[in-house]
Amino acid sequence: MPNVDYRREIREAMQAGQEALNYLNQAKDCLNSAGNWGIVDMLGGGMLTTLIKRSKMKDADALVQQARSAMKRFQKELMDVDNIPEFRIETGDFLTFADYFFDGIVADWLVQSKINDAKRQVDNAIVKVNYIMGQLKSLFI
């Protein structure tokens, strides 16, 4: 049976992981919405559609920034727990959007591609965090 301090470290790591998951899931929702608006934009949605899509992208970017901070805290907390493999998520290019000054099908397609890339990165991060959370839960028992 793990000692009290070790259980506290596991609990702190699990709380940090849950916080990261919350932000990642919110970012995923925003990216899904941005992607949907992006499809409408490519089909000729107009200026209002572009504004809504970019607003969703901005919201997703803010959530990813918060998730990035939460994942750094999660990594730090995991260092206090034995028997957990090293946890690394590259965040350097995580959800970096370019600004497009010309609204057209090529620019819309490029933005949609960035949204899809970001969705894949967020999904991968969610899988990694969930995997580590499962390992933490097994240690806590």
Side-chain angles (χ1 to χ4, degrees):
M1 178 172 187
N3 68 36
V4 175
D5 289 337
Y6 188 67
R7 289 175 69 84
R8 187 187 77 242
E9 296 298 343
I10 294 170
R11 190 173 18 258
E12 288 172 356
M14 289 174 68
Q15 289 169 343
Q18 190 58 53
E19 180 184 12
L21 279 174
N22 289 340
Y23 286 123
L24 287 167
N25 283 316
Q26 289 177 52
K28 180 180 177 176
D29 290 344
C30 274
L31 286 167
N32 285 334
S33 181
N36 292 339
W37 284 105
I39 291 169
V40 173
D41 201 18
M42 287 191 303
L43 297 173
M47 184 58 103
L48 181 60
T49 301
T50 300
L51 291 173
I52 293 170
K53 174 185 69 179
R54 289 188 182 170
S55 173
K56 296 293 181 183
M57 291 167 56
K58 184 178 176 185
D59 292 346
D61 190 44
L63 287 163
V64 166
Q65 297 303 324
Q66 291 174 305
R68 183 182 293 158
S69 295
M71 287 191 304
K72 286 180 182 176
R73 184 172 155 249
F74 186 38
Q75 288 175 330
K76 180 180 173 283
E77 293 296 340
L78 285 174
M79 291 171 25
D80 296 334
V81 179
D82 297 330
N83 302 320
I84 296 293
E86 187 172 334
F87 173 70
R88 292 266 179 237
I89 294 178
E90 293 300 321
T91 59
D93 292 327
F94 202 47
L95 195 61
T96 303
F97 291 115
D99 250 331
Y100 294 94
F101 297 103
F102 302 103
D103 192 26
I105 191 67
V106 173
D108 291 343
W109 181 82
L110 291 171
V111 170
Q112 191 69 18
S113 175
K114 281 288 195 185
I115 291 169
N116 289 333
D117 288 346
K119 286 184 348 187
R120 277 190 293 280
Q121 291 176 22
V122 167
D123 284 339
N124 288 338
I126 289 170
V127 168
K128 289 178 182 180
V129 173
N130 276 323
Y131 174 75
I132 298 293
M133 292 292 283
Q135 290 187 322
L136 288 169
K137 288 176 186 173
S138 72
L139 290 175
F140 199 73
I141 295 174

